[in-house]
Amino acid sequence: MIYLNDHLLDFDLNEALAELSEQRRQLALRYRHELGRRMCAAAYLLLCEGLRKEYGITEKPVFEFGEHGKPSIIGRPDIHFSLSHCREAAICVVSDRPVGIDVESVGRYSDTLARYTMNDRELEEIGRSDRPDIAFIRLWTMKEAVLKCTGEGIGRDLKNVLNQSPELTTVVSSDEKFVYSVCYAAANPV
């Protein structure tokens, strides 16, 4: 299930920080600016909401991290999740199988960045679009969601990330200020 908060200025930051695990609070406080702290806190609180609704878990989750930094909940290898945030939104997905999610703000399109990260087919798709900024961010979030799902991290060859056909969903916000993509690993065969 996907949990989204696109009202990052509508909560009391001090109250939110008090609801975080010590581990997450320390991470949130490392952000120099208030918006960064809000994004970090909001993503974690969405995870807490998902754990409560889907698993009845009310304890504050503490994370351990895989080889490339992918978080998991200590003692709960059966629960998979992914967190992301940008200036406009924080997002979380909780699942019973490996999953990755990414949310990004729609910003100015950079042809240089696109050529560095996109393959020829993707560049053509962006070039045909009426909104190359949204087309680029849509593809970018898809790639990052795949890499977060696999736990590989962004060090992989970005141009070929989408060559397989993972289960991907992408949504452009109604105000076109952000885009998110979620990738689910293949379901286990029965």
Side-chain angles (χ1 to χ4, degrees):
M1 179 74 91
I2 297 170
Y3 299 88
L4 173 74
N5 178 345
D6 58 355
H7 298 284
L8 297 175
L9 301 178
D10 293 349
F11 65 88
D12 184 294
L13 180 58
N14 289 326
E15 285 180 19
L17 289 171
E19 294 180 41
L20 307 183
S21 69
E22 183 59 29
Q23 178 191 49
R24 190 65 177 197
R25 184 174 21 274
Q26 291 304 315
L27 177 64
L29 292 173
R30 284 189 212 141
Y31 284 89
R32 290 181 43 199
H33 300 287
E34 181 181 326
L35 182 57
R37 292 175 180 184
R38 286 180 170 281
M39 294 183 304
C40 184
Y44 182 86
L45 293 175
L46 290 171
L47 173 62
C48 292
E49 177 184 353
L51 294 174
R52 188 174 55 257
K53 286 181 176 178
E54 295 180 41
Y55 294 92
I57 297 172
T58 57
E59 299 85 26
K60 299 172 185 176
V62 177
F63 304 150
E64 57 188 354
F65 299 91
E67 178 183 350
H68 299 286
K70 182 175 178 149
S72 60
I73 300 169
I74 292 175
R76 291 305 305 255
D78 58 316
I79 299 174
H80 301 273
F81 70 95
S82 186
L83 306 172
S84 187
H85 50 74
C86 65
R87 289 185 314 272
E88 284 73 32
I91 197 162
C92 172
V93 61
V94 178
S95 179
D96 60 355
R97 58 185 163 139
V99 65
I101 199 162
D102 186 49
V103 63
E104 299 287 341
S105 302
V106 175
R108 189 173 51 88
Y109 172 70
S110 166
D111 188 60
T112 303
L113 182 59
R115 292 193 180 288
Y116 183 74
T117 59
M118 303 292 157
N119 63 37
D120 291 341
R121 181 190 55 76
E122 294 162 346
L123 288 169
E124 284 179 32
E125 183 179 329
I126 293 167
R128 287 191 310 269
S129 173
D130 293 338
R131 291 287 308 268
D133 54 344
I134 291 177
F136 171 78
I137 291 298
R138 185 180 66 76
L139 288 164
W140 177 265
T141 61
M142 291 168 67
K143 290 174 185 249
E144 194 155 338
V146 168
L147 294 172
K148 289 172 88 172
C149 180
T150 63
E152 293 175 85
I154 205 147
R156 182 171 159 197
D157 174 22
L158 291 174
K159 291 186 178 188
N160 297 309
V161 169
L162 299 178
N163 287 350
Q164 300 116 352
S165 3
E167 185 181 327
L168 277 164
T169 302
T170 301
V171 174
V172 178
S173 67
S174 59
D175 59 7
E176 298 184 333
K177 290 186 176 183
F178 65 90
V179 176
Y180 73 84
S181 292
V182 61
C183 175
Y184 294 92
N188 293 333
V190 178

